[in-house]
Amino acid sequence: MSRTVSTAPSTDPLTSHLVSSEDGTPIEYFSTGTGPGLVIVHGTMQSAASQSELAAALAGSFTVHLMNRRGRGRSGAYPALDRYDLALDVADASAVVAATGATTIMGISSGGIIAAEVALAHPGLAVVLFEPALVADDSLDLDAFLARFEPEAARGDVPAYMVTALLGTQMGPAFLRFFPRRMLESSTRKMLAKGGVVPVGGATMHELATAVPYDMRIVAQRADRIDDYAAIRGPVLLVTAEKSPAYLRHAVERLRELLPGADFGTIAGVGHSATQNVTEGGKPQVVADIVIHHLSH
């Protein structure tokens, strides 16, 4: 059923809220816009602020809720890494969906895995998955990457594990793979020390870096489990980007096979940062146009 939508970016401010997750942990989220509720679950090295321009572009058609996952802003902390399970993040996102009455959940990268899990538990939800970080069919040598990453994370060597995550997940410009690790770790150390201004809904560099090992646990816990998502019963929109790493685009293609009724969209000329703000390499208006087109009719 069609309805009138606006494609003009909203200038409405973000309003802040807190909701208690299943275990009592506070989860922060920010709301803007009018219309049916849409919760956005961000990915690794992101916060609610990372998709603020996407939220503004969607706000003429949806009431958008940008959640801060644990360890960011006013959201509570993660438990110790050895006590972490993906179910915590799923419960947090579910609490935001319940508090807002949202009818759609959108997940980005590792947040896409969380959103897919929420959709499995709530068949009435529509779900938008932007390149969920699912490793399928040995499309990424995850074991080799984690063999280096996990000891670095265990000893708290943040610059080392951030470089390992960057290279292992094939993020960032390809030329970085030719730089000496010592140089990359030094640059990362300086970046962490510099910090910077935290926008509304944002997180400090320290918060983002500290959360990386939890995102890698999410990826590891759902590696080679992509077939599970064939059980999603609500409407599905799958979105990928032209220049993203091959393993992420492969995951989207596999989901298209598993969910033959799913809609599909692709973003030209950009990679895995497509949903982020323009200054971070994103194309938020293009992403919003695809979401509006597929969910508003």
Side-chain angles (χ1 to χ4, degrees):
M1 181 175 178
S2 64
R3 56 188 172 83
T4 302
V5 297
S6 171
T7 56
S10 170
T11 56
D12 293 345
L14 293 168
T15 57
S16 176
H17 312 272
L18 284 175
V19 63
S20 291
S21 189
E22 188 175 67
D23 66 354
T25 299
I27 301 298
E28 182 179 37
Y29 66 96
F30 298 82
S31 304
T32 188
T34 57
L38 187 160
V39 172
I40 297 181
V41 187
H42 64 73
T44 310
M45 288 299 291
Q46 294 183 356
S47 67
S50 303
Q51 278 80 39
S52 60
E53 291 175 14
L54 174 60
L58 290 167
S61 304
F62 300 95
T63 303
V64 184
H65 308 287
L66 298 165
M67 68 177 289
N68 258 338
R69 288 168 50 201
R70 294 191 186 212
R72 300 159 175 89
R74 293 196 295 158
S75 290
Y78 278 114
L81 188 59
D82 61 2
R83 293 193 291 111
Y84 172 76
D85 187 85
L86 172 58
L88 281 180
D89 270 301
V90 175
D92 297 348
S94 295
V96 176
V97 169
T100 60
T103 55
T104 301
I105 186 166
M106 177 176 184
I108 295 154
S109 193
S110 57
I113 298 177
I114 296 167
E117 293 285 324
V118 174
L120 283 174
H122 300 85
L125 273 181
V127 60
V128 180
L129 301 177
F130 175 77
E131 297 185 338
L134 293 162
V135 178
D137 310 315
D138 297 319
S139 56
L140 182 72
D141 191 351
L142 190 60
D143 289 341
F145 154 55
L146 291 176
R148 180 163 195 160
F149 177 87
E150 290 186 339
E152 292 168 342
R155 65 175 183 265
D157 192 340
V158 179
Y161 74 60
M162 286 186 68
V163 170
T164 299
L166 178 73
L167 299 176
T169 59
Q170 302 175 16
M171 294 294 133
F175 66 79
L176 291 178
R177 291 160 182 74
F178 300 100
F179 278 66
R181 276 191 64 101
R182 184 175 61 233
M183 183 183 299
L184 294 175
E185 289 181 17
S186 175
S187 297
T188 302
R189 192 172 290 108
K190 291 174 183 176
M191 177 185 69
L192 291 167
K194 184 177 180 181
V197 176
V198 180
V200 174
T204 67
M205 253 326 196
H206 175 74
E207 288 173 336
L208 296 178
T210 302
V212 169
Y214 295 90
D215 283 278
M216 297 305 104
R217 283 289 171 95
I218 291 171
V219 175
Q221 286 186 7
R222 284 298 177 266
D224 297 317
R225 298 283 301 277
I226 197 167
D227 289 353
D228 293 354
Y229 301 109
I232 292 175
R233 290 292 173 262
V236 178
L237 169 60
L238 302 169
V239 185
T240 190
E242 180 184 29
K243 296 185 176 180
S244 289
Y247 74 95
L248 292 172
R249 290 184 281 111
H250 176 73
V252 173
E253 287 302 320
R254 288 280 282 109
L255 287 170
R256 290 184 76 184
E257 294 171 4
L258 293 166
L259 298 162
D263 288 339
F264 173 75
T266 188
I267 315 297
V270 72
H272 197 52
S273 62
T275 66
Q276 293 179 228
N277 301 329
V278 171
T279 57
E280 299 165 351
K283 287 191 174 183
Q285 186 63 58
V286 178
V287 177
D289 289 345
I290 288 173
V291 173
I292 292 166
H293 173 74
H294 287 285
L295 296 186
S296 298
H297 296 86

